[in-house]
Amino acid sequence: MAARSSSIPRRALLYVPASSPRMLTKSLGLSSDNITYDLEDSVTPTAKPTARTALREHLTNLSSRPPSISELAIRINAISTPYALDDLTTLAPLPNLDAIVIPKVNSASDLTFATDALRHLAPSRHCDSSPNPIKIIALIESARAIVDLREICASSPFLSGLIFAAEDFALDLSLTRTPSLNEFLYARSAIVTAARAANLPSTIDLVCTSYKGGEGLARLEEECEGGKALGFNGKQCIHPSQVDTVQRLFAPSEKEVEWAVRITIADEKAAAVGRGAWTLDGAMIDAPVAGKAKAIVEKAQKCGFDVDDLREKWKDQEPE
Ligand code: COA
Ligand code: MG
């Protein structure tokens, strides 16, 4: 069975409508953990065949993934639509594709279908020994999906993350989105909890639909802080101007990384003399706190922090 680990910290996931030749070209000059070319809701039904062909050409013409993009994905149409099989058949065999985002996943059978299709359409990447299968990322956007999360998370060895989509979820439940996002609290928390229980490495939060000016930026920052606090590790973006903010706010802050490095250094020294609980800056540190510090250091390394420099700076840190 293929590994579920994801070596990239998937923080910003930027949608690029596949129907826009200008945006397809523009995407290659952007820096983002993930670029997701969209064939679903940003493309009208009549434009889908042309957009699919344009996307195939765009991806085929790439000799390799641009270094500023860590993951190239496509969002196909929902499995229940007449477009999904054509999307998969046309695009899954392409070598530059890292992941497929599947919208409106309602039950485990949607992902079983996609998994079988990937095994059939790109067999060498989906045999047991393949190191780089095309990963699946599932959009959770209905009440039905929320109650079936456990089965959905267990349905494919290629599943590498969940995304919460607020607008379709609000439609399904006849909710009105408010700036507090309180109406989504249960669904968002259920998603991060189910993903963690199934050891999925990535959970991506809702789109911030306002992207213009100071007000858009303030809303985006507030939503990023809220999503991070709930346990999400990233956020969907619809405009390139959102990506830097999302990547910065979903990475550990400098202060957090420094704290984590000090803890890990002092914890090694405390452990060497048999101390499981000790203090730093007047606060008690024990196994879960030291474990959290270790996880922050690992994430910081993946996000490009110079952790060795910090370890050198704090090499004399002792447990208090
Ligand atoms: N990906 C790549 N490039 C994008 C982009 C995106 N998502 N959004 C905007 N751009 C480009 C524009 O083409 C423009 O490029 P240019 O300077 O070469 O002309 C530049 O960024 C500035 O764009 P701007 O004028 O501010 O925005 P816009 O009015 O052209 O587009 C949206 C606004 C919201 C329509 C557009 O951002 C968009 O389509 N976003 C994605 C929507 C989507 O995929 N929805 C489904 C998933 S929720
Ligand atoms: Mg949707």
Side-chain angles (χ1 to χ4, degrees):
M1 184 172 273
R4 279 198 161 168
S5 65
S6 169
S7 59
I8 67 147
R10 192 183 286 141
R11 293 167 294 172
L13 181 148
L14 174 67
Y15 290 110
V16 179
S19 52
S20 164
R22 194 180 182 103
M23 293 192 200
L24 286 181
T25 305
K26 179 127 187 155
S27 69
L28 298 177
L30 301 174
S31 264
S32 181
D33 290 331
N34 170 295
I35 294 279
T36 295
Y37 296 111
D38 184 35
L39 288 167
E40 200 215 11
D41 284 351
S42 69
V43 182
T44 56
T46 49
K48 287 194 196 283
T50 316
R52 190 187 295 127
T53 307
L55 183 52
R56 183 183 57 196
E57 272 170 34
H58 175 76
L59 290 171
T60 307
N61 289 340
L62 286 183
S63 53
S64 62
R65 178 166 18 83
S68 58
I69 301 170
S70 307
E71 183 177 64
L72 274 185
I74 56 165
R75 180 165 78 168
I76 62 167
N77 288 280
I79 300 295
S80 60
T81 67
Y83 313 111
L85 190 55
D86 281 346
D87 295 343
L88 284 164
T89 309
T90 307
L91 298 161
L94 300 180
N96 287 322
L97 192 63
D98 298 306
I100 294 190
V101 175
I102 304 187
K104 300 184 176 64
V105 170
N106 277 327
S107 66
S109 63
D110 289 334
L111 295 193
T112 311
F113 177 89
T115 302
D116 288 348
L118 288 177
R119 285 200 166 110
H120 183 72
L121 294 163
S124 61
R125 292 186 69 183
H126 298 90
C127 58
D128 282 351
S129 56
S130 170
N132 71 333
I134 297 174
K135 297 175 197 124
I136 292 175
I137 312 172
L139 268 157
I140 302 299
E141 37 194 338
S142 68
R144 167 87 195 273
I146 293 293
V147 299
D148 276 1
L149 273 174
R150 188 185 173 127
E151 291 75 19
I152 288 170
C153 286
S155 62
S156 173
F158 311 125
L159 183 63
S160 89
L162 302 180
I163 308 176
F164 177 58
E167 306 311 324
D168 275 293
F169 188 76
L171 178 66
D172 189 35
L173 273 81
S174 299
L175 297 176
T176 302
R177 178 174 176 155
T178 66
S180 75
L181 303 177
N182 281 344
E183 57 283 357
F184 300 128
L185 183 58
Y186 170 71
R188 291 162 84 208
S189 193
I191 286 171
V192 292
T193 307
R196 180 68 204 110
N199 212 16
L200 299 182
S202 159
T203 46
I204 305 285
D205 204 6
L206 41 70
V207 168
C208 179
T209 46
S210 24
Y211 64 91
K212 288 195 172 160
E215 203 182 309
L217 180 61
R219 175 68 54 82
L220 179 66
E221 287 177 345
E222 199 181 315
E223 286 192 12
C224 287
E225 298 292 359
K228 191 176 172 188
L230 273 179
F232 284 94
N233 59 269
K235 191 168 179 69
Q236 299 161 90
C237 302
I238 44 146
H239 195 278
S241 64
Q242 297 180 317
V243 171
D244 278 356
T245 304
V246 168
Q247 303 220 142
R248 180 172 50 81
L249 291 179
F250 277 94
S253 68
E254 277 179 32
K255 210 170 142 201
E256 266 179 306
V257 181
E258 190 142 8
W259 171 85
V261 165
R262 291 176 66 206
I263 302 267
T264 48
I265 290 171
D267 191 55
E268 284 158 20
K269 295 177 185 172
V273 294
R275 289 175 70 191
W278 46 279
T279 60
L280 186 82
D281 300 338
M284 193 222 26
I285 312 295
D286 62 359
V289 183
K292 183 165 183 229
K294 215 171 145 198
I296 290 173
V297 172
E298 277 168 23
K299 184 161 187 185
Q301 270 165 328
K302 288 182 181 174
C303 293
F305 274 86
D306 191 344
V307 171
D308 288 343
D309 209 37
L310 278 174
R311 284 192 74 89
E312 178 58 27
K313 177 177 170 191
W314 289 102
K315 67 178 188 299
D316 296 327
Q317 178 69 56
E318 294 288 333
E320 288 163 6

